[in-house]
Amino acid sequence: MLDPNLLRNEPEKVATGLARRHFMLDVDALKALDQQRKILQIQMEEQRNARNEASREIAQARRQGLDTSAMQAAAGQYGESIKALEQSLETVLQQWETLVSSLPNLPQDSVPEGQDETDNVVLRQWGTPREFSFTAKDHVDLGEALGILDFAAGARLAGARFVVLRGLGARLERALAQFMLDLHVQTHAYTEIAPPFLANADSLFGTGQLPKFEDDLFALRDDPYYLIPTAEVPLTNLLRGEIVTTLPQKFCAYTPCFRREAGAYGRDTRGMIRQHQFDKVELVQVVRPEDSAAALEALTGHAEKVLQLLELPYRVMALCTGDMGFSAARTYDLEVWLPGQNQYREISSCSNFESFQARRLQLRYRGEDGKPQLAHTLNGSGLAIGRTLVALLENHQQADGTVLIPEALRPYMGGMDAIRA
């Protein structure tokens, strides 16, 4: 959530920043609501002062032995007036909250201008896409031929955008998760968390999924819970409402993730690229504001290390203003090369949210003056396991349909060097 003081004192500045994201802020509506708030608060203060004065006059009259019934009746009207004003103020504050909670974060000045993903900027590239001496297959054909991916069974069990992993496919997914967790915990110094896979509305509001993106969530019908769309939700909410004594805090978790993909109808219907359920290792950092820029670079590097060890070519993209997520102030996407699609595809998104989430979460730390201040939050995929499995199958396939296992992953596959039919 944006700073309410900035919204009240410099709404035009906020509007200019949001315009870079192609979001038009209704400054007049914002100002009108704030003006109503001020008027109602002044009127309430006047009525309370008048009631207090009336109470003093009644007390003085009683001490003089006078009849105060008429004075009491008149004073009672102040209470009714104050109650009505309080109700009006509550309505205005709710309208303000609804408007403000719908506003995305302001992009950092360094974020490239642009409309959509075509305007994102390549920052760097690692590895060279392999040139095959045979016709490369995509992961669907490879996985089905190897007997490790069963899309027909997934459709029977649940429907479209689900898959069953069999035998070495299931083991490969488990191995990737364990490999990623060990790397981030042992080398990158994250604390591993095993969070709930359900979250309440307060948690999803805190990280920015609610109210704007409710259509993308799976909600339980008769209970106030949602299936988590990412471990970012429980990990960031671990510190909700707290004044943290030690920063930075670094968490990672392996969880399933659940998304309706409401805005992706008809996209990536083949294979594992865009599914309703997928596994992911998530990275979250909570840091001091002055450290968040460096933390984003470090967190992105942690996700990159996974791809490097798995020998998967990728590139790092700076997302433009028109392609960033709702809560982000700056985002880097890692895009892995997929031979089966002959293009780079997103496998991790690493974002600095600055104080946007922390304000919703009331996640604070004490500054040098001892006063509570809002922390900065960051998160990134480290990595999306399904897409990593896809990239591994497609990049390390051989002419006979065998898939080589990268050296770094072999200890997690019992020393196996390849998956064979």
Side-chain angles (χ1 to χ4, degrees):
M1 187 175 294
L2 296 176
D3 184 351
N5 291 324
L6 185 63
L7 286 165
R8 290 183 176 120
N9 299 327
E10 301 181 80
E12 289 82 6
K13 180 179 179 179
V14 175
T16 299
L18 292 179
R20 295 183 62 215
R21 299 188 65 142
H22 315 289
F23 184 98
M24 297 300 108
L25 173 63
D26 190 338
V27 173
D28 291 338
L30 196 70
K31 287 182 175 179
L33 281 173
D34 196 43
Q35 185 63 23
Q36 289 178 50
R37 174 189 64 82
K38 291 177 181 177
I39 291 171
L40 288 168
Q41 287 177 333
I42 290 170
Q43 291 176 342
M44 283 174 56
E45 187 65 22
E46 291 173 344
Q47 290 294 300
R48 285 170 177 160
N49 289 337
R51 183 177 62 180
N52 292 339
E53 180 61 27
S55 296
R56 285 193 291 271
E57 291 175 353
I58 290 170
Q60 184 177 6
R62 283 176 175 169
R63 287 194 295 270
Q64 296 172 355
L66 301 175
D67 181 6
T68 61
S69 55
M71 297 173 68
Q72 287 178 291
Q77 296 178 0
Y78 290 121
E80 294 176 4
S81 177
I82 291 170
K83 184 177 180 180
L85 288 168
E86 287 175 339
Q87 292 174 342
S88 297
L89 179 60
E90 182 178 355
T91 298
V92 169
L93 291 176
Q94 287 176 345
Q95 292 173 342
W96 170 275
E97 184 75 13
T98 298
L99 191 158
V100 171
S101 65
S102 71
L103 303 180
N105 202 356
L106 293 170
Q108 294 180 354
D109 292 341
S110 57
V111 174
E113 299 280 349
Q115 292 281 343
D116 53 37
E117 62 184 14
T118 61
D119 295 317
N120 295 338
V121 176
V122 179
L123 295 180
R124 58 184 175 272
Q125 188 168 320
W126 186 92
T128 303
R130 177 181 164 196
E131 293 186 8
F132 293 88
S133 60
F134 55 92
T135 302
K137 298 178 180 178
D138 70 4
H139 68 283
V140 177
D141 292 336
L142 282 166
E144 289 180 339
L146 290 169
I148 62 174
L149 301 182
D150 192 338
F151 294 96
R156 287 197 304 273
L157 294 174
R161 299 188 190 270
F162 291 93
V163 65
V164 170
L165 282 74
R166 295 182 179 273
L168 290 178
R171 182 168 185 176
L172 179 59
E173 182 179 60
R174 176 162 51 90
L176 285 168
Q178 189 64 59
F179 162 69
M180 293 177 194
L181 286 172
D182 284 352
L183 176 66
H184 296 315
V185 171
Q186 297 171 12
T187 303
H188 301 147
Y190 287 82
T191 298
E192 184 177 354
I193 302 293
F197 302 157
L198 299 178
N200 56 32
D202 287 343
S203 295
L204 287 151
F205 176 82
T207 45
Q209 281 78 18
L210 287 179
K212 186 175 178 61
F213 300 105
E214 186 165 12
D215 288 346
D216 285 333
L217 302 172
F218 285 104
L220 274 64
R221 179 173 297 171
D222 298 318
D223 294 294
Y225 300 110
Y226 297 82
L227 298 176
I228 60 169
T230 165
E232 169 198 350
V233 176
L235 291 182
T236 312
N237 275 273
L238 283 173
L239 301 176
R240 185 176 75 208
E242 293 191 14
I243 299 177
V244 184
T245 57
T246 303
L247 291 177
Q249 298 274 346
K250 297 166 62 177
F251 304 121
C252 69
Y254 161 63
T255 68
C257 305
F258 306 90
R259 299 182 187 177
R260 287 186 178 276
E261 298 291 357
Y265 181 79
R267 293 179 60 193
D268 297 313
T269 55
R270 177 177 168 84
M272 295 176 63
I273 295 298
R274 195 180 298 275
Q275 297 199 299
H276 292 309
Q277 175 186 321
F278 60 96
D279 290 349
K280 184 154 63 82
V281 170
E282 190 75 359
L283 308 175
V284 164
Q285 293 195 26
V286 181
V287 303
R288 293 175 180 270
E290 62 268 25
D291 298 330
S292 67
L296 178 61
E297 303 300 325
L299 185 149
T300 303
H302 298 158
E304 288 183 73
K305 191 63 177 179
V306 178
L307 292 169
Q308 292 169 8
L309 290 172
L310 295 178
E311 304 167 36
L312 298 173
Y314 68 90
R315 65 185 185 183
V316 180
M317 309 292 292
L319 297 200
C320 71
T321 53
D323 197 34
M324 286 200 309
F326 176 79
S327 302
R330 183 170 180 81
T331 298
Y332 298 143
D333 270 8
L334 305 187
E335 296 183 345
V336 68
W337 177 255
L338 296 183
Q341 296 190 11
N342 197 38
Q343 63 176 324
Y344 287 96
R345 295 300 303 269
E346 178 199 337
I347 197 168
S348 174
S349 191
C350 303
S351 297
N352 183 356
F353 304 110
E354 297 187 340
S355 62
F356 189 85
Q357 291 181 331
R359 183 170 285 105
R360 288 173 170 241
L361 297 162
Q362 280 302 289
L363 197 173
R364 296 163 293 169
Y365 72 101
R366 293 196 185 277
E368 292 183 1
D369 58 1
K371 296 180 180 179
Q373 300 180 27
L374 292 171
H376 279 196
T377 62
L378 306 95
N379 88 277
S381 304
L383 302 164
I385 294 171
R387 292 194 178 191
T388 306
L389 188 149
V390 167
L392 191 151
L393 293 179
E394 294 190 3
N395 281 280
H396 296 311
Q397 65 180 293
Q398 305 301 304
D400 61 357
T402 296
V403 175
L404 298 183
I405 297 172
E407 188 88 27
L409 195 62
R410 291 177 187 177
Y412 298 90
M413 291 292 289
M416 190 179 304
D417 65 354
I419 298 175
R420 300 176 174 84

